[in-house]
Structures are given as C-alpha cells and as structure tokens.
Amino acid sequence: MPQFGEVQSALAKELSQVPTLTDQERRALYFIENLKIVLQAQNYARGYLARKQLKQLQARHQELKRIETERQLAIQREEEKKRCEEETRRIEEEKKRIETENRRIEEEKKKIEEERLRFAEEKRQIEEESQRVEAVRQKYWLDNSRSILKAQSLWRGIICKRSYSENLKLFKFKEAKIISLQARIKAIQTRKAYLNRLKHFNENQSSIIKIQSRWRGRHAEKAYKALASLDNPQVKILQDFIHLLDDSDNDFEEELELEQLRQLVIKLIRENIQVEAELSDLDVKIALLVKNRISIEEVVHLTSKKAKQSLSPDSASPEHQFSLKGADKETRTKIEHYQELFYLLQTQPHYLAKLLYYCNKTSGGNVTKVLENATMTLFGYAQNTREEYLFLNLIK
C-alpha cells in the first residue's frame, strides 16, 4: 500500500501537467460551449434558405401559371378561329342550300302552274261533258218522267212497307216493355206537373184564395144583375140561382130552428166548460181541505155562491169595464178593432199556433186549457163551413 505522501506528490504532479488537445477536440469543445448560438445560427440559415427556396418556387409557379394562361388563350383563339371557319363554312353551305331550294321552288311553281293549267283544261272539259250529260239526262227525264215517277213511288212504297213491317215486328216483340216505359214516363211527367202545380198553389195560397173569392163574388154579382135585369136570362144563370126558388117558409123556419139549436149548443158547451172549470176548482179546494184542513163552512159557502152565480140570469153577461154595449164612437171603434183582430187571428193561424205551443211548453195545463177554450170560442165551435175550415187550418 503506498504511502500518503507519495499519493499527494503523485496528484500534484498530475495536476501540474497541461494536456494538449487536437483540432477536432477543440472544435467539439467549442461546439459544446456555443451550442445555443450554433443552433440559432443554423435556424437563421435554414429559414433564409427556406424563404429563398419559397420565393423561387413562387416565381416558378407564377411563370408556369402565366405560361399555362397563355397556352389556354392560344387554344381558345385557335378554337375560336376553327369555330369561325366552321360557321363560315356552314353559312356558305346554307346559302348554297337556300339557292338550291329556291331553284327547286321555282321549278315546283312552274310544275304547279302547268298542273293548274292542265286541271283547268280538264275541268273545262269535265264541265262541258257534265253539261252535255245533264242535257241528255234532262231530255231523258222529260221524255220518261211518268215512268221515273212511277218507279220512284214504287221503290219508296217498298221501302216504307219494309220499314213499317220491321217496326211493327219490333213493337209487337217489345210491346209490354214499351207500354211499361210509356206508363212510367207519363207517370213521371204527370207527377212532376202535379208537384209543380201543388208547389205553386202552396206558395200562392193566400193570393189564390183572394182571387177565387173575388172572382166568385164578381161572377155571382154579374149573374144576379143579369137575372134581375134581363127578361130572358141564360140557362146557366138560372141553374146558379135555381136553389133559391126551392126555399119556402118551411125552409126559412127550419133554418131559424137550426140557428136556434146552434146557439143552444154553443150555450150548453159554454156551460159545460164553466161547470168543468168549477169542478176542477172544487177538486183543488177538496185537496186543500184534505191537506190544510180548512173549515167545511168555507167550502160550502163558496160552493153555494158559485151555484147562485151560475143560476142567476145576469151571470151570463156581466158588466165590466170592457163592455161593448154602448153606441158611442169609441165603442164602435173598439168593435171594429176587435173585428179586425179576430179576423186576423182566424185567417193567420200561425199566431195562435205559436202562442199555444209556447204556453204549453212554458206554462201549466190551466193556461193551455183557457187558451183552448178561447180558441174554440173564437172559431164559434166550428158550427159553419168557414169556421170549420179555418179551425182545421189552425190545427194543421
């Protein structure tokens, strides 16, 4: 093992010696010491070379683009030149074709003119021939007119007989179908005419009634004047008034008796209606008696009072504020107004019909019954033909 002093001397000897470096080592040492600067310089150099190469490439691209554009323009000019030449050649050919067509048209015109002249000559010849034939035919017809007419009549007779026989066979073969078809057509026409006439009557019913009444009145007035003024009236006028000659005193008395019986029937009907009203009132009172236990004396008193009023002679015609027994002008005006009102209600049934329907729908049965009684009174209980017709029209 060496001594410590020897180690120290050996180390001092090694440190005192200066090593010698080669050029490659010095270059490597310089490169290591200035690595960032070298890399930066390399980057600058590479960027400069890249920009220079890019500019060269751009200049080359622009040159190539310019060359390509010039080539395209040259190609377009060449194509335009070819197209112009082709168009010029086509125009020349079209001119030649038009000239040829014009020459052909001129030739066709000459041919057409020649054909027209030939046709005119042929037409003239045909007309001359037709005139000659027509003259010959007219002469033949004049010479043989009777024979021709006879032959024509015979031929037409044969044709008509043949057609008649064929139609007769067809009709006999299909007689049932034809009769059925005719019946259906006539039924449809008759039904259509009837419906149209009925529709016209329904639409103008009021006008028709007025016209009929005025015509009948005018006719009756004219016939009566003729009967009264003429010494020898017509038979028809006598037929219209012959029923008046049959009237006698017995007929007049029978009519008076019938009128009295009618008035009696109306009076009895009114009394029956009044009795029914009293019976309904008594039913109500009895129901109230049972329900509320009112005194029997009150019921008896009310019943006796009603009976006395019904038996009294003044009960049928009580005096009230609407009495029309006076003879002054105001009373006559009221009577005229009531007459107009009753006539309007009789001849225009829709007013009463709407009133009855509304009262039956909204009110009770008592109001409806009172209105029905008033309606029956308004139409006189349908005792004559007019009132019966008007009442049936209201019901309808």
Side-chain angles (χ1 to χ4, degrees):
M1 183 173 180
Q3 298 280 329
F4 180 74
E6 295 177 357
V7 174
Q8 187 177 7
S9 62
L11 182 60
K13 185 177 180 180
E14 288 179 0
L15 291 172
S16 63
Q17 292 179 359
V18 178
T20 59
L21 300 173
T22 62
D23 295 335
Q24 186 176 2
E25 290 176 349
R26 283 196 299 271
R27 219 171 20 249
L29 183 61
Y30 179 78
F31 179 75
I32 290 170
E33 291 177 354
N34 301 286
L35 180 62
K36 291 184 178 179
I37 297 171
V38 171
L39 291 174
Q40 188 175 5
Q42 285 179 353
N43 290 331
Y44 286 155
R46 288 171 182 168
Y48 173 75
L49 292 175
R51 285 193 296 274
K52 186 176 180 181
Q53 188 176 5
L54 178 62
K55 288 181 179 180
Q56 290 177 358
L57 291 173
Q58 288 178 352
R60 185 178 179 184
H61 178 70
Q62 292 291 335
E63 185 67 21
L64 292 173
K65 188 175 180 180
R66 184 180 60 77
I67 293 169
E68 183 66 23
T69 304
E70 290 179 354
R71 188 175 67 81
Q72 292 291 335
L73 291 173
I75 293 170
Q76 290 180 359
R77 284 195 295 270
E78 187 68 25
E79 290 178 354
E80 186 69 23
K81 185 177 179 181
K82 289 181 180 180
R83 190 178 62 80
C84 291
E85 291 176 355
E86 185 69 25
E87 188 70 23
T88 304
R89 187 170 62 255
R90 189 182 63 79
I91 291 170
E92 291 294 332
E93 292 177 356
E94 188 69 24
K95 285 182 179 179
K96 290 179 181 180
R97 189 184 64 78
I98 291 170
E99 290 176 356
T100 306
E101 190 69 24
N102 290 331
R103 286 195 299 271
R104 189 181 62 78
I105 290 170
E106 291 294 333
E107 292 176 358
E108 290 290 333
K109 285 182 179 180
K110 290 179 181 180
K111 290 181 181 179
I112 291 169
E113 187 67 23
E114 292 175 357
E115 289 290 331
R116 189 179 65 80
L117 294 174
R118 186 173 62 81
F119 286 155
E121 185 66 24
E122 290 179 357
K123 184 179 179 181
R124 187 178 60 79
Q125 293 176 1
I126 291 169
E127 287 178 354
E128 291 177 355
E129 185 67 22
S130 62
Q131 290 176 1
R132 186 180 63 79
V133 172
E134 185 68 25
V136 173
R137 188 171 58 184
Q138 289 291 337
K139 185 179 179 182
Y140 178 77
W141 282 357
L142 291 174
D143 294 339
N144 302 282
S145 59
R146 292 185 179 179
S147 301
I148 292 170
L149 291 174
K150 188 176 181 181
Q152 286 179 347
S153 62
L154 289 173
W155 177 249
R156 287 172 182 169
I158 292 169
I159 293 174
C160 290
K161 288 179 180 179
R162 186 182 299 169
S163 177
Y164 175 74
S165 62
E166 290 177 356
N167 292 331
L168 187 61
K169 289 179 182 178
L170 180 63
F171 291 158
K172 286 183 178 180
F173 180 71
K174 297 183 179 181
E175 184 177 2
K177 293 183 179 178
I178 292 171
I179 292 172
S180 177
L181 181 61
Q182 287 178 347
R184 289 183 181 180
I185 293 172
K186 289 179 182 178
I188 291 170
Q189 292 177 352
T190 305
R191 194 179 298 110
K192 187 176 180 181
Y194 172 74
L195 292 176
N196 292 332
R197 188 178 181 84
L198 185 62
K199 183 180 179 182
H200 176 73
F201 286 162
N202 292 330
E203 290 177 354
N204 303 282
Q205 185 178 6
S206 59
S207 302
I208 291 170
I209 292 172
K210 289 180 181 178
I211 292 170
Q212 286 178 349
S213 62
R214 290 182 181 179
W215 169 254
R216 288 170 183 169
R218 179 63 178 169
H219 182 69
E221 182 181 358
K222 187 176 179 181
Y224 181 75
K225 287 181 180 179
L227 181 65
S229 61
L230 296 177
D231 295 334
N232 295 318
Q234 297 179 0
V235 179
K236 185 173 178 59
I237 296 174
L238 293 176
Q239 290 177 354
D240 293 337
F241 293 96
I242 195 67
H243 64 279
L244 297 177
L245 300 176
D246 296 335
D247 293 338
S248 60
D249 294 337
N250 294 327
D251 296 332
F252 182 70
E253 290 177 359
E254 288 178 358
E255 288 182 0
L256 287 178
E257 186 177 358
L258 288 174
E259 183 66 23
Q260 291 176 1
L261 291 174
R262 188 176 71 84
Q263 295 293 335
L264 181 61
V265 168
I266 293 173
K267 184 177 179 181
L268 292 175
I269 290 173
R270 289 179 178 175
E271 290 178 358
N272 288 332
I273 293 172
Q274 187 175 1
V275 169
E276 288 179 359
E278 291 177 0
L279 287 175
S280 63
D281 193 9
L282 286 174
D283 291 335
V284 173
K285 294 296 183 181
I286 291 170
L288 291 174
L289 176 62
V290 173
K291 185 176 181 180
N292 299 324
R293 298 183 181 279
I294 62 176
S295 61
I296 191 67
E297 290 81 4
E298 184 179 354
V299 176
V300 172
H301 177 68
L302 183 62
T303 306
S304 61
K305 186 177 180 180
K306 290 284 184 180
K308 288 180 181 180
Q309 288 181 358
S310 61
L311 295 175
S312 63
D314 296 334
S315 61
S317 57
E319 294 292 333
H320 50 79
Q321 58 180 350
F322 298 105
S323 178
L324 300 176
K325 291 184 177 181
D328 54 348
K329 183 177 180 181
E330 183 179 358
T331 304
R332 290 196 300 272
T333 305
K334 287 182 180 180
I335 291 173
E336 291 177 357
H337 290 169
Y338 277 118
Q339 289 175 354
E340 293 175 357
L341 175 62
F342 294 155
Y343 176 79
L344 182 63
L345 291 175
Q346 286 179 348
T347 56
Q348 302 292 332
H350 55 274
Y351 295 115
L352 287 175
K354 289 181 179 179
L355 179 61
L356 290 172
Y357 175 76
Y358 180 75
C359 290
N360 190 20
K361 187 176 180 181
T362 57
S363 303
N366 294 327
V367 178
T368 305
K369 190 171 183 181
V370 171
L371 285 175
E372 289 177 355
N373 295 331
T375 304
M376 292 294 295
T377 307
L378 177 63
F379 287 96
Y381 297 93
Q383 293 298 315
N384 55 26
T385 307
R386 177 181 177 276
E387 293 173 350
E388 183 180 0
Y389 168 76
L390 294 174
F391 184 69
L392 291 175
N393 197 12
L394 171 63
I395 295 173
K396 180 175 69 176

